[in-house]
Amino acid sequence: MSAPARIEPRLLRAFVTVAEELHFTRAAARLYVAQQVLSRDVRRLERELGCELFLRSTRRVTLTADGERLLPYARAALQAQDDLLAAAGQSRPLLVDLNSPGLGTHREVLHRARERAPGHELMARYESGLTWAAAELLAGRLDATFGRFAGLAPSVRAGLDQQPVRHEPMAVLLPEDHALAGLPEVPLAALAGETVYAGAGNTRTEEWTDLARRLFDGRGITLAPPVPLAVGEEEFQRVMARSRDPILAVVSFPPLPGTVSRPLVEPVPLSPVSLVWRKGMIHPALEELRRSAAELAAERGWLQRPVDSWLPASDAEVMGAHPMSRR
């Protein structure tokens, strides 16, 4: 076994994870990478060290003698790196924008991360909208947020990383006395002729308004014109009570006073939710946030798409190919 001048920690982590799982597919899932990427990293480490670390067959993966000797040293090196990052991260919390207190998906991911990493401080912010939050991420004033990644300009996306979290079904908030309020679900065709509010004029939430325009196009649904920008839940409720327009939302968003929430169907429109952070950012709590998002997505089937769903092609590409499910 030769000794290269420098070994990337990513390669050591790939080796250790495969050694623990003795299965490339399971190891790739733990690291949130494609199996091909993991195999490439292990092969690169073997080339740099000048030895074979695993014996691979169609049925099993086992450590070689060189792999057995390397494993405790690789673990020690990774532990030292984790300790260093944790010490650096103690100087400040991870700042996570949840967009709105009413968005349950974002809040669940943050709560899971806090449970997983009680030694780290994850601080919630409620600033509203990925368009605005993306600029804050790039400026270093925010660490992570959630939203529709495909709704950002390519030049903005180039400086960010994202992890798909959920295809969240959309809903509509209706005044309690609205003609459609008595339905358990609202077919999209039933909104023809309605004027629906979706944040038009709010420069912080342009990605959401763009998604609404795409959904309403060709269905006879009018996008409500801009209203005065309301800061805070109470002000938003007051402004919307005056217009009495239905409000486009997601199923996890709670009804406002005087309204009812009804899921939209035929088809089921989806709001694509990604966890988003600045490219190259290092913070120990970010990894816990990513793991929590992946855990919840797997447990709840958040990335499964209903058979009769609607999602723009650009969003489907960003979110990746995930199998359809029966509702």
Side-chain angles (χ1 to χ4, degrees):
M1 187 186 298
S2 60
R6 178 177 179 272
I7 297 177
E8 293 183 27
R10 186 186 81 253
L11 304 184
L12 289 178
R13 199 171 297 279
F15 162 66
V16 169
T17 306
V18 175
E20 291 174 348
E21 295 289 344
L22 293 179
H23 194 284
F24 275 81
T25 300
R26 290 197 299 267
R30 270 181 58 182
L31 293 172
Y32 315 111
V33 299
Q35 185 175 335
Q36 296 92 328
V37 173
L38 179 63
S39 297
R40 181 194 65 200
D41 285 348
V42 170
R43 290 291 189 191
R44 179 180 164 188
L45 180 62
E46 289 177 325
R47 288 196 302 273
E48 291 186 4
L49 293 174
C51 65
E52 193 174 25
L53 300 173
F54 296 101
L55 295 176
R56 307 162 177 84
S57 72
T58 56
R59 292 188 176 183
R60 60 184 302 198
V61 175
T62 57
L63 280 164
T64 64
D66 284 331
E68 292 279 6
R69 283 195 296 272
L70 177 64
L71 185 57
Y73 296 102
R75 282 177 169 151
L78 291 173
Q79 185 61 56
Q81 184 199 34
D82 290 344
D83 291 343
L84 175 63
L85 292 177
Q90 288 174 359
S91 62
R92 68 172 183 86
L94 187 78
L95 302 179
V96 185
D97 180 34
L98 303 186
N99 307 147
S100 167
L103 293 172
T105 298
H106 311 175
R107 192 171 61 250
E108 283 191 64
V109 173
L110 179 63
H111 287 179
R112 174 66 65 89
R114 285 172 172 168
E115 291 173 356
R116 286 182 55 99
H120 297 302
E121 183 64 77
L122 292 92
M123 296 291 294
R125 295 289 186 268
Y126 301 99
E127 298 292 352
S128 177
L130 181 58
T131 300
W132 176 87
E136 296 295 290
L137 290 174
L138 294 173
R141 292 187 291 267
L142 190 67
D143 296 317
T145 189
F146 296 85
R148 181 188 168 225
F149 195 70
L152 298 174
S155 59
V156 176
R157 295 202 302 266
L160 302 172
D161 273 328
Q162 65 95 23
Q163 176 178 319
V165 175
R166 185 177 185 183
H167 292 111
E168 183 159 15
M170 292 190 197
V172 63
L173 303 186
L174 300 163
E176 290 177 334
D177 58 354
H178 193 281
L180 299 175
L183 298 177
E185 299 175 325
V186 174
L188 273 172
L191 289 177
E194 295 281 351
T195 297
V196 180
Y197 177 76
N202 185 347
T203 57
R204 294 185 169 214
T205 60
E206 290 177 351
E207 76 288 345
W208 176 252
T209 305
D210 174 70
L211 186 64
R213 284 196 184 97
R214 293 167 183 253
L215 177 63
F216 297 169
D217 185 38
R219 291 188 165 91
I221 307 170
T222 300
L223 182 68
V227 298
L229 181 60
V231 178
E233 185 176 344
E234 183 177 344
E235 281 297 284
F236 180 73
Q237 291 173 3
R238 185 184 64 81
V239 170
M240 296 315 300
R242 293 182 63 181
S243 72
R244 290 184 55 79
D245 286 330
I247 303 169
L248 188 67
V250 290
V251 292
S252 69
F253 195 89
L256 302 174
T259 71
V260 295
S261 176
R262 297 291 182 260
L264 291 169
V265 294
E266 299 176 14
V268 176
L270 300 175
S271 171
V273 179
S274 289
L275 173 62
V276 184
W277 64 94
R278 185 173 59 261
K279 189 166 287 185
M281 194 194 79
I282 297 175
H283 194 295
L286 176 62
E287 294 307 308
E288 298 302 338
L289 197 66
R290 293 188 63 193
R291 289 189 181 98
S292 298
E295 281 181 0
L296 284 166
E299 292 169 9
R300 310 284 178 81
W302 278 352
L303 288 172
Q304 301 289 326
R305 288 179 56 187
V307 174
D308 57 337
S309 64
W310 172 92
L311 187 69
S314 58
D315 290 273
E317 181 178 357
V318 164
M319 296 293 284
H322 294 278
M324 302 292 190
S325 64
R326 293 289 175 186
R327 290 176 60 234

